Amino acid sequence: TLSLHDALPIFLMQYIVHYRTDFSQMRFEAVERTFEVQFGHATLCGKVDGRFRDKTGGVWHIEHKNFSKINEETILMKLAFDLQNQFYMLADMIEFNRLLKSTLYNILRRPDVRKTLSPSETFTYVTGLIKANPKHYFFRYEIPYSREDIEQFKRELGQKLTNLGQIGRAHV
């Protein structure tokens, strides 16, 4: 059986070909960037997939999401309310004292790899699938958040952390 592990190098190669303009249009500042910032009495920690500047100097996050099945009708709604991304944007705003331009979601649909193939047949099969319909396997969504969106998230997170602190004190 062809495993996803066997197909990944081929998938990655096709991804690089599909998004080759990234190398001239994006200036990556960080990949797998960890952060740790103070937020009231709490420390926000995490790891962002990437941070880059566009050609105009705007600062973005890039988040990679991969799925085997994607419901294209609901994915935008799901991404727009992604708690993880709002958390990352707030942390970035605290650390750098400026709002990111946007988040670019890099959506990767894994190819079906349930066939028994030799390595050369695997290469031909996966490459053929992707070349026949690259937009089926690779697509992106830009999800902008306004300062007001992040400020609202900041208030809600602060309230939740306060509530957790009160619960913790009540049960000590």
Side-chain angles (χ1 to χ4, degrees):
T1 302
L2 171 63
S3 72
L4 181 59
H5 181 268
D6 295 333
L8 280 177
I10 303 161
F11 191 67
L12 177 61
M13 186 173 68
Q14 292 303 312
Y15 170 86
I16 291 169
V17 168
H18 186 71
Y19 288 120
R20 64 188 163 274
T21 59
D22 285 1
F23 301 101
S24 62
Q25 295 180 0
M26 299 175 177
R27 194 176 81 238
F28 278 86
E29 296 180 340
V31 176
E32 293 292 319
R33 180 183 174 279
T34 58
F35 63 85
E36 188 172 312
V37 298
Q38 284 306 120
F39 179 68
H41 296 291
T43 303
L44 306 182
C45 304
K47 186 185 289 187
V48 177
D49 288 350
R51 190 170 196 272
F52 69 92
R53 289 188 185 270
D54 63 19
K55 289 166 75 170
T56 66
V59 181
W60 297 61
H61 278 170
I62 188 167
E63 283 296 317
H64 306 291
K65 302 290 184 190
N66 65 77
F67 304 97
S68 55
K69 295 181 187 212
I70 297 171
N71 181 338
E72 294 177 36
E73 295 175 10
T74 60
I75 195 164
L76 267 177
M77 186 180 301
K78 178 182 175 185
L79 295 177
F81 295 102
D82 183 10
L83 184 66
Q84 173 191 6
N85 188 50
Q86 293 178 21
F87 182 83
Y88 289 172
M89 290 194 74
L90 173 60
D92 198 272
M93 191 167 82
I94 292 168
E95 185 175 359
F96 296 101
N97 199 29
R98 72 183 277 192
L99 185 64
L100 291 168
K101 186 170 180 179
S102 190
T103 296
L104 184 63
Y105 276 96
N106 200 27
I107 310 297
L108 311 173
R109 186 181 313 212
R110 295 187 301 264
D112 181 10
V113 291
R114 297 182 205 166
K115 295 186 177 282
T116 303
L117 301 169
S118 70
S120 65
E121 290 170 325
T122 299
F123 178 85
T124 302
Y125 173 71
V126 173
T127 299
L129 283 176
I130 296 170
K131 282 186 174 182
N133 191 3
K135 292 183 183 200
H136 178 76
Y137 294 98
F138 309 123
F139 47 100
R140 291 180 167 168
Y141 293 112
E142 176 186 329
I143 307 292
Y145 293 94
S146 68
R147 181 168 294 280
E148 293 77 30
D149 293 334
I150 300 305
E151 290 296 335
Q152 179 179 341
F153 177 76
K154 181 179 177 180
R155 287 189 299 276
E156 291 171 3
L157 180 61
Q159 186 59 51
K160 288 176 182 173
L161 291 172
T162 298
N163 292 345
L164 282 173
Q166 290 171 351
I167 291 168
R169 285 191 294 279
H171 291 90
V172 173

